[in-house]
Amino acid sequence: MQSPSMIKHAVKMMAGTLLSRILGLAREILIAAYFGASRSMDAFNVAYTLSNLARQLLAEGALSAAFVPVFSQALTKSREKALTLARGTMTVLLFATSFIVILGVFGASWLVNIMAPGFDAENHALAAGLTRWMFPFLIFISLEALTMGELNSMGSFFIPALSPAFSNLVFIITAPFFAGYFGVYGLALSVLCGGFAHFMTQWLWGFKMKAVLYPTRPDFADPDLRRIMKLFLPYAAGLSLNQVNPVISRMLGSFLQEGSISVLNYSNRILQLPLGLFVIAISQAVLPQLSRASNDGEFIDTLKQAIRFALFVVLPASLGVILISREFVHIVFVRGEFNNWAWAATSSCLALSMLGLPGIACSTVVMRALYALSMPREAFKVTGFSVISTTILSLILIYPMGYNGLALAPGIAFTLSGLLGLYYVRKKLGRSLGIIDRKILAKYIISLLIASLAVFIYKFIWSYEPDSRLYIRALWCLGVIAFCAVSYFAAAVILKFEEWHLLKHAFKHKK
């Protein structure tokens, strides 16, 4: 049975990701204190989004989709042949990303025109300049993605999940120094330093695994390399289309009041904490398992347990953040240049975006299933549907809700696209997946109602005081999170959730 193994790997990734996400939040706190929700931060966020597209396109998308299944299968035949394949892939990747960086540097002004057409001349020039400084980040993050795929396929999950912590730590250390000399351009330098640290952490771990990567002459006659390249192009096309989603919010946000893009980004940074901690960890852990499934029954069982486990941990996280969104944003961001308007706007964006987290979780896992089944055409259709849905919903919701509509639209779109992806998986396998039934749905509802009641009781007994000392507010926040979690998991034990038993079995499971 692969499910306990998958859950064990996912928990290891969660443990490694926790520190990196906490440091990532600390990084955003530092940025908010220095620059607040300002025009310069709007420009930086646009530039960072442009240069960071490789993280979604490669680290969490096309490279994993194309490389991990082929590399995992090659490992079962010959370790040396698999490593040769990875090193040849590294060479191809270096050439491809270097070419993209050159295009990005020369086309920075054009890219900013597309992403932020509402910027004035001064903001446009600043965003274009920042884009040129940060575009080499693509090389570091792409190499990191390849190394992570190799290590995950070889059973190493903790260090790859921990490595972003070093990136964030380097950013936190260098940003105050660089920003003091170069202003907002100093943040771009810190991004580059952090990206290099991210890659080097995993690359050095390859020595420990006796699987260090370095560029070698690729053998284009190798059927495995040809298969990776064949799969990569359609996946990259689909996931490139998926990058339209963040572009949509920035593009429409540029027409709203000053600081709108910044508050969307700040709320998204908090969303990234449970997203990276739970969703990305589970999806990264499940892809090698799905790729090695020996039959359709094992594949469906692994997929079903991955989606259920994702919902099991994501639903209480979403609920908790929604119920304390104002308090959480206050303790995290309200200081320095971060004013009351930014507090209220970020809080509402956060609550609305968290509504879509369960749908994002399901959609992300389902996309891994399409990758494992080598279904690039269907993956492209699901991605295209997500983009079209996000665009339509954003245009509909921006008029009555403003930036709040831009925060709500992606979550709804991802939920719908996840359902479409499940339809394609079921059609491919020709069998019912049986992921959620009425009994399981009733258990989720009862557990969440109990957790909600626990939070309301906690807030009634101990109200949040914005003017109290930081450590008091921190204790309040930790207390309400613990109270919500304990109530939810106690209900899960009483209701006999299967995921709870699988979680315990995963740690007892021996290879």
Side-chain angles (χ1 to χ4, degrees):
M1 184 179 183
Q2 291 198 33
S3 294
S5 176
M6 180 274 296
I7 292 175
K8 187 173 183 178
H9 292 324
V11 171
K12 285 182 178 180
M13 290 199 73
M14 289 178 195
T17 303
L18 179 60
L19 178 60
S20 65
R21 293 294 170 169
I22 291 174
L23 288 174
L25 198 56
R27 182 185 70 179
E28 294 304 313
I29 293 171
L30 179 69
I31 293 174
Y34 270 84
F35 296 97
S38 59
R39 284 191 176 274
S40 61
M41 274 312 300
D42 284 352
F44 173 80
N45 287 325
V46 167
Y48 184 75
T49 300
L50 286 168
S51 62
N52 194 42
L53 291 180
R55 184 182 297 278
Q56 290 79 29
L57 178 60
L58 297 173
E60 299 165 4
L63 187 59
S64 293
F67 175 74
V68 172
V70 179
F71 183 78
S72 297
Q73 292 166 11
L75 272 175
T76 62
K77 302 174 184 176
S78 168
R79 177 186 172 92
E80 288 305 314
K81 185 177 183 300
L83 291 177
T84 300
L85 171 67
R87 289 162 183 160
T89 304
M90 188 178 196
T91 304
V92 175
L93 188 63
L94 274 171
F95 276 100
T97 52
S98 298
F99 178 71
I100 294 172
V101 166
I102 293 171
L103 293 179
V105 169
F106 283 100
S109 181
W110 179 72
L111 291 172
V112 172
N113 273 333
I114 294 176
M115 180 165 285
F119 274 1
D120 56 26
E122 182 180 353
N123 257 28
H124 178 275
L126 179 59
L130 288 167
T131 300
R132 295 186 185 97
W133 279 43
M134 282 192 285
F135 232 80
F137 178 72
L138 294 179
I139 297 175
F140 300 137
I141 209 66
S142 301
L143 294 176
E144 173 273 329
L146 178 68
T147 310
M148 179 179 65
E150 178 208 32
L151 295 175
N152 287 170
S153 299
M154 299 179 73
S156 178
F157 290 88
F158 180 71
I159 294 299
L162 184 65
S163 60
F166 295 97
S167 171
N168 290 324
L169 184 61
V170 168
F171 184 97
I172 291 169
I173 293 172
T174 59
F177 174 78
F178 287 147
Y181 280 93
F182 304 105
V184 72
Y185 280 94
L187 299 182
L189 288 175
S190 294
V191 167
L192 293 177
C193 293
F196 180 72
H198 191 175
F199 163 62
M200 287 301 297
T201 303
Q202 295 191 104
W203 186 77
L204 291 172
W205 187 249
F207 282 96
K208 172 72 174 178
M209 298 290 294
K210 296 181 180 179
V212 63
L213 290 184
Y214 50 82
T216 60
R217 183 175 180 180
D219 179 11
F220 290 106
D222 183 355
D224 285 336
L225 180 59
R226 293 169 67 91
R227 185 182 168 200
I228 289 173
M229 296 178 67
K230 182 180 178 181
L231 289 173
F232 180 84
L233 291 177
Y235 284 141
L239 288 160
S240 294
L241 183 63
N242 198 35
Q243 300 318 305
V244 175
N245 281 336
V247 173
I248 291 169
S249 64
R250 266 79 175 165
M251 184 184 296
L252 296 177
S254 69
F255 290 101
L256 299 175
Q257 66 193 96
E258 177 182 334
S260 295
I261 295 177
S262 295
V263 298
L264 286 166
N265 182 71
Y266 288 132
S267 65
N268 183 65
R269 291 309 305 174
I270 297 178
L271 174 68
Q272 291 300 317
L273 182 60
L275 182 63
L277 188 59
F278 304 126
V279 179
I280 303 302
I282 294 169
S283 63
Q284 288 295 110
V286 76
L287 181 55
Q289 300 285 346
L290 290 172
S291 301
R292 289 193 288 263
S294 58
N295 54 64
D296 290 350
E298 187 176 314
F299 185 96
I300 292 173
D301 183 60
T302 303
L303 175 62
K304 178 169 63 177
Q305 294 301 337
I307 293 177
R308 287 185 179 181
F309 185 67
L311 290 174
F312 179 69
V313 294
V314 163
L315 284 171
S318 301
L319 174 69
V321 175
I322 290 170
L323 294 178
I324 63 166
S325 59
R326 279 190 59 82
E327 295 89 347
F328 196 77
V329 170
H330 182 270
I331 194 172
V332 171
F333 289 128
V334 179
R335 59 184 53 80
E337 296 298 318
F338 201 89
N339 56 30
N340 286 334
W341 174 84
W343 175 19
T346 303
S347 300
S348 61
C349 286
L350 175 61
L352 290 169
S353 63
M354 290 300 295
L355 286 173
L357 185 59
I360 294 173
C362 293
S363 177
T364 304
V365 174
V366 170
M367 288 298 289
R368 266 40 179 198
L370 295 175
Y371 300 154
L373 291 172
S374 297
M375 300 173 67
R377 182 178 298 178
E378 287 76 10
F380 183 85
K381 290 179 181 179
V382 172
T383 303
F385 179 79
S386 173
V387 171
I388 294 171
S389 301
T390 300
T391 304
I392 294 173
L393 288 168
S394 295
L395 290 171
I396 292 173
L397 296 175
I398 191 174
Y399 178 72
M401 300 177 66
Y403 47 75
N404 288 319
L406 300 182
L408 179 61
I412 300 174
F414 273 109
T415 302
L416 296 174
S417 64
L419 293 174
L420 179 62
L422 283 174
Y423 166 77
Y424 285 130
V425 172
R426 179 178 178 177
K427 185 178 179 181
K428 172 76 172 181
L429 299 177
R431 297 173 57 177
S432 175
L433 303 179
I435 293 174
I436 301 294
D437 56 32
R438 292 181 180 179
K439 183 178 179 181
I440 294 173
L441 184 61
K443 288 182 178 182
Y444 283 138
I445 293 173
I446 294 171
S447 299
L448 293 174
L449 286 174
I450 292 173
S452 299
L453 180 62
V455 172
F456 285 122
I457 292 173
Y458 183 95
K459 294 174 75 172
F460 177 78
I461 296 172
W462 185 9
S463 61
Y464 182 85
E465 298 293 340
D467 297 327
S468 61
R469 293 181 180 273
L470 178 61
Y471 77 91
I472 297 294
R473 288 180 282 133
L475 286 175
W476 185 94
C477 191
L478 291 173
V480 73
I481 291 172
F483 208 58
C484 179
V486 170
S487 302
Y488 177 82
F489 287 114
V493 173
I494 294 171
L495 294 171
K496 298 180 180 180
F497 269 84
E498 183 183 358
E499 288 70 30
W500 183 254
H501 297 294
L502 284 172
L503 189 62
K504 292 191 295 182
H505 181 63
F507 289 101
K508 295 178 182 178
H509 180 70
K510 295 181 179 180
K511 291 185 179 181

